[in-house]
Amino acid sequence: MPTNRYLGVSSTGQPTEVVPAITSSGAASAGQIIALNAAGALDATMLPSGVGATAVTAAATAAISAGMAINVYSNAGVLSVRPADSTAVGSEANGYAPSAIASGASGTVNLGEGLINGLSGIVVGTNYFLGTVGAFTATVPATAGNLIQYCGKGMSTTELLFIPSTFTVVVA
């Protein structure tokens, strides 16, 4: 969907069509009128520090899909992310990827709580736990050695309110 435009006036007094900003470039964006992004939401770059999700940029050591639960870790001293996985102790969910990141590339991930959009098969009101390879499951992991980590609640068929528990249990 194209971005709506508005009518402005140039420095010479001429009527001019203006495209609003969807993302912020910091101080260079000062004074611009803003528009909602493709998801119909205000882009996180438009929010002041400390409001909204805490986002960090990190290197992905495996391919990460949009909406995937991620695990943040040190890879030889480099802040890195990989898919969170209930089958690997130490790979608990610390956040989620708002967009895909190719293996070996750097990308932005959100840490802590947030609303994950664009999922499928989510059931409203259902509790979700960490599954395998960054996925969420409504079934509590029961295989010996797997992690049980509460990850959130279904808000719609495509949205999960991500509230990752910092307390995990290893199945005996």
Side-chain angles (χ1 to χ4, degrees):
M1 178 175 148
T3 303
N4 291 329
R5 291 161 168 73
Y6 64 94
L7 191 59
V9 179
S10 72
S11 59
T12 62
Q14 197 65 9
T16 307
E17 185 179 60
V18 180
V19 178
I22 295 174
T23 60
S24 174
S25 300
S29 298
Q32 289 186 344
I33 291 182
I34 61 174
L36 300 179
N37 62 22
L42 193 60
D43 191 83
T45 61
M46 298 289 192
L47 302 175
S49 216
V51 175
T54 301
V56 297
T57 299
T61 57
I64 296 175
S65 302
M68 186 179 273
I70 55 93
N71 172 258
V72 178
Y73 73 106
S74 172
N75 182 19
V78 176
L79 181 67
S80 300
V81 293
R82 59 188 170 198
D85 198 318
S86 65
T87 64
V89 173
S91 290
E92 67 282 345
N94 308 115
Y96 61 95
S99 56
I101 307 169
S103 180
S106 288
T108 301
V109 295
N110 293 340
L111 303 180
E113 299 179 9
L115 186 65
I116 304 174
N117 298 300
L119 302 175
S120 61
I122 302 296
V123 178
V124 175
T126 298
N127 290 323
Y128 283 86
F129 300 86
L130 178 61
T132 58
V133 196
F136 301 101
T137 179
T139 305
V140 178
T143 304
N146 285 4
L147 296 173
I148 299 173
Q149 181 184 17
Y150 175 79
C151 284
K153 186 172 287 288
M155 295 286 114
S156 76
T157 58
T158 61
E159 296 175 318
L160 177 81
L161 179 57
F162 185 68
I163 309 172
S165 173
T166 57
F167 181 77
T168 59
V169 174
V170 178
V171 178

